Amino acid sequence: MTDDAAALTAAVLAAASSGQLEATLHEIVAAAVRHVDATYGALGVLTPDGSGLDRFVTVGMDPEDHERIGRPPAGDGILGLLVAEPVPLRLADLGRHPAGHPPMRSFLGVPVRVRDSVFGNLYITEKRTGTAFTEADLEVAQGLAAVAGLAIENARLLEHAEQRRAWSQAGTEIATALLSGRPADEVLRAAAARVAELSGADAVGLLAPVPGDEDTFVVTAAVGPSAADTEGLLVPLGDTRLGASHRSGTPLLVDSAAFPPAEPANAKVIGQLTERYGPALFLPLGGPSPTSTLVALRIRGRPPFDPAVLDPAAAFATQATVAMELVRSQEREQRLQVQADRERIARDLHDHVVQRIFATALALDRIGRSLEESAPEAADRIAQRVDELDGTIARIRASIFELQVTQDSSAAAIRQRLAEVVRSVADGHGLRPDLRLRSEVEDLPADLAGDVTAVVRELVTNVVRHAGATRVTVEVTLTDAVCVIVTDDGCGLPAVTVRSGLTNLADRAERRGGRMTVTAGPSGTAIQWSVPLPA
């Protein structure tokens, strides 16, 4: 026995470095069967949580018998007794044995230990002499079980090291893909597939909060069975561990993922998910305030995720999060650079082009008014040219506005944009502007924010050009409706030449389900433009 034990120990070390664990365990069982003169042998390796068998290696059975037995539950009969009480067992006249097993009249079982941990059990049955196993047989089995424990421990250490390397490599690949400019949704879908592969999950979904409803998730990407049916699914968080994991940004393992009841439209799919899947791994992505969470699921009945996967998976999530933050930072820098270029072009157009055209139009307008009595036809032609210049200014200002429009439609950004518009239009004309903005909303749709800016620009321009006012007040209110009121202390509405601009503003309001009203008098004019806020 000594020579065989030494040879097996050497084989164990080689197997641990090459990953040939299955062959080494088979050799250990074969040696045990040979030395105690048994007919059958098996080695069951427990799952990390001890609830089932991770491997079941047999010797001496026909392939048909092995197929019938399969991988018996750890709690079945004698197997369950060894798990519950991990002590050597030596039995004779065994009356009960696992279903499908060949007849056994004697049984020898010893736990496979490494220090204080039980990794599994070595089973030997059916002494060829027809007698019971002896104390010497038990000692032989215990010695081989110790060798098996060494093999399993080394293999698992190697497996965990390889697992950490694979997760780290996956994190590097995801980060590289994000930073190289690949679309984020494409990269995150690939990340979901990689998580499924590395964690041994049957399905993985990427979940993100629904805009405006932080208590509901939507599945933005999925891999695994019924992935197409799952994408777009709304998942209520309620008081769930998924919600707690997402809000805290902490990865979490759970033995059973239970989803709360859903809206009737989603109830069937949610019910199927709850019924089909059990063990789950939650991986929040996106920093202290995660923007999404990867959920890995195993079919109900499969062993839970190995707790050893949590640390490398968390490191993977950290790598992905850092890359996502860097991408967002790069995107912000690019947007700021583009915006700076656009603002420079817009300033050049306003300062060097619009002002000259505007001054020319004012001069022609004065000349036309002076000719209204003496040369009405010439005055009319000049008025037409002034209108054309007004149209040119409007088109240039529209281009300036398009250059200045950004993705930021927050109340603060709108306030800044309106202040710039009022200042640029009123400066140099002896007009004292007053801008007031009150907001009960965080932001507006981008196109509505553009309309508000265009309306303020047009109305203040009319005051500058035609009202002869010394003061203009712009009030903007953002609640469940958007209301713009521009008042001045001028001489009232001018001739019909300005009414086309007001008609355009009225049409703009009506297209949004709103209206524009004008109140004019000798002491000034008030124009109100209001539209409902889209739901």
Side-chain angles (χ1 to χ4, degrees):
M1 170 61 198
T2 305
D3 293 340
D4 276 357
L8 281 172
T9 302
V12 163
L13 297 176
S17 62
S18 64
Q20 298 174 347
L21 177 63
E22 199 80 14
T24 303
L25 295 181
H26 188 277
E27 182 60 29
I28 290 171
V29 178
V33 168
R34 186 167 61 250
H35 279 280
V36 301
D37 196 23
T39 305
Y40 311 113
L43 198 154
V45 180
L46 296 174
T47 56
D49 64 352
S51 63
L53 292 180
D54 182 45
R55 288 182 174 90
F56 193 66
V57 181
T58 64
V59 169
M61 293 185 186
D62 293 333
E64 293 81 4
D65 292 334
H66 192 151
E67 184 67 26
R68 282 198 302 272
I69 296 174
R71 191 177 290 181
D76 188 16
I78 295 297
L79 309 187
L81 180 60
L82 273 173
V83 172
E85 296 290 339
V87 295
L89 285 176
R90 182 165 53 88
L91 304 174
D93 298 323
L94 186 65
R96 180 177 178 270
H97 51 268
H101 197 288
M104 309 183 284
R105 287 174 293 275
S106 55
F107 176 89
L108 181 62
V110 293
V112 176
R113 294 177 181 270
V114 174
R115 291 180 290 275
D116 295 330
S117 300
V118 177
F119 277 126
N121 297 289
L122 175 63
Y123 314 110
I124 306 169
T125 67
E126 195 66 7
K127 184 91 168 173
R128 290 183 184 277
T129 61
T131 60
F133 289 109
T134 66
E135 287 292 333
D137 293 335
L138 181 59
E139 291 178 5
V140 169
Q142 287 176 316
L144 289 170
V147 175
L150 179 61
I152 296 169
E153 181 189 40
N154 287 346
R156 284 193 170 167
L157 289 174
L158 179 66
E159 186 179 73
H160 290 162
E162 175 59 25
Q163 189 178 65
R164 286 191 295 271
R165 187 205 64 79
W167 278 100
S168 177
Q169 178 65 27
T172 301
E173 291 170 359
I174 296 301
T176 301
L178 284 169
L179 294 173
S180 66
R182 284 177 57 189
D185 56 346
E186 176 186 326
V187 175
L188 291 176
R189 187 182 297 275
R194 199 78 172 93
V195 167
E197 176 188 349
L198 292 172
S199 65
D202 297 301
V204 175
L206 180 66
L207 281 65
V210 174
D213 184 2
E214 293 296 320
D215 290 328
T216 303
F217 271 6
V218 60
V219 181
T220 58
V223 296
S226 306
D229 294 335
T230 306
E231 290 186 5
L233 181 69
L234 295 179
V235 180
L237 289 184
D239 187 18
T240 63
R241 287 170 292 183
L242 171 59
S245 174
H246 175 80
R247 295 183 187 103
S248 67
T250 305
L252 181 66
L253 286 176
V254 297
D255 292 340
S256 180
F259 298 97
E263 296 297 325
N266 296 324
K268 182 178 179 181
V269 181
I270 292 290
Q272 290 173 347
L273 286 175
T274 301
E275 181 180 346
R276 183 170 190 178
Y277 295 105
L281 166 64
F282 304 145
L283 284 179
L285 304 175
S289 299
T291 56
S292 56
T293 292
L294 277 169
V295 176
L297 299 170
R298 284 183 176 174
I299 291 175
R300 193 172 292 278
R302 283 193 62 194
F305 290 95
D306 186 346
V309 82
L310 195 58
D311 285 343
F316 166 86
T318 300
Q319 284 181 281
T321 294
V322 170
M324 292 167 69
E325 289 294 331
L326 288 174
V327 168
R328 281 195 285 266
S329 178
Q330 290 177 351
E331 290 174 347
R332 282 194 296 268
E333 289 181 5
Q334 291 170 356
R335 286 197 299 269
L336 289 173
Q337 182 61 49
V338 170
Q339 184 61 24
D341 291 340
R342 289 182 173 183
E343 289 178 352
R344 176 182 54 78
I345 296 170
R347 282 195 304 272
D348 290 344
L349 285 173
H350 178 270
D351 296 342
H352 303 295
V353 178
V354 171
Q355 295 302 326
R356 287 190 178 185
I357 298 175
F358 187 65
T360 302
L362 284 177
L364 288 174
D365 186 59
R366 285 195 295 269
I367 294 172
R369 290 177 185 276
S370 68
L371 296 175
E372 284 178 352
E373 294 184 1
S374 59
E377 293 182 1
D380 185 58
R381 289 195 297 273
I382 291 174
Q384 292 176 10
R385 300 292 85 79
V386 170
D387 287 344
E388 290 176 3
L389 290 175
D390 286 345
T392 300
I393 292 173
R395 285 191 292 273
I396 293 175
R397 281 181 169 159
S399 299
I400 294 173
F401 171 72
E402 290 173 0
L403 287 171
Q404 292 176 328
V405 168
T406 66
Q407 296 294 326
D408 190 355
S409 298
S410 64
I414 292 172
R415 178 189 298 275
Q416 181 180 358
R417 201 175 304 160
L418 293 180
E420 292 174 355
V421 166
V422 172
R423 178 194 55 76
S424 64
V425 174
D427 276 0
H429 299 285
L431 188 65
R432 186 175 63 180
D434 182 14
L435 173 64
R436 305 169 188 172
L437 187 143
R438 181 173 65 87
S439 176
E440 297 178 4
V441 297
E442 291 185 0
D443 52 27
L444 292 181
D447 57 339
L448 180 54
D451 275 0
V452 170
T453 306
V455 167
V456 170
R457 176 184 288 107
E458 178 67 24
L459 293 179
V460 175
T461 299
N462 283 344
V463 172
V464 169
R465 294 194 57 199
H466 304 291
T470 59
R471 179 168 185 155
V472 60
T473 301
V474 178
E475 297 179 77
V476 179
T477 305
L478 310 176
T479 55
D480 55 347
V482 177
C483 182
V484 177
I485 302 176
V486 176
T487 58
D488 65 73
D489 60 354
C491 58
L493 285 174
V496 75
T497 52
V498 214
R499 296 302 179 102
S500 60
L502 296 181
T503 302
N504 291 337
L505 297 183
D507 291 342
R508 196 188 293 254
E510 289 173 3
R511 285 196 300 269
R512 292 187 173 277
R515 58 188 298 228
M516 188 183 77
T517 59
V518 180
T519 305
S523 60
T525 304
I527 300 179
Q528 177 174 318
W529 185 92
S530 59
V531 297
L533 189 67

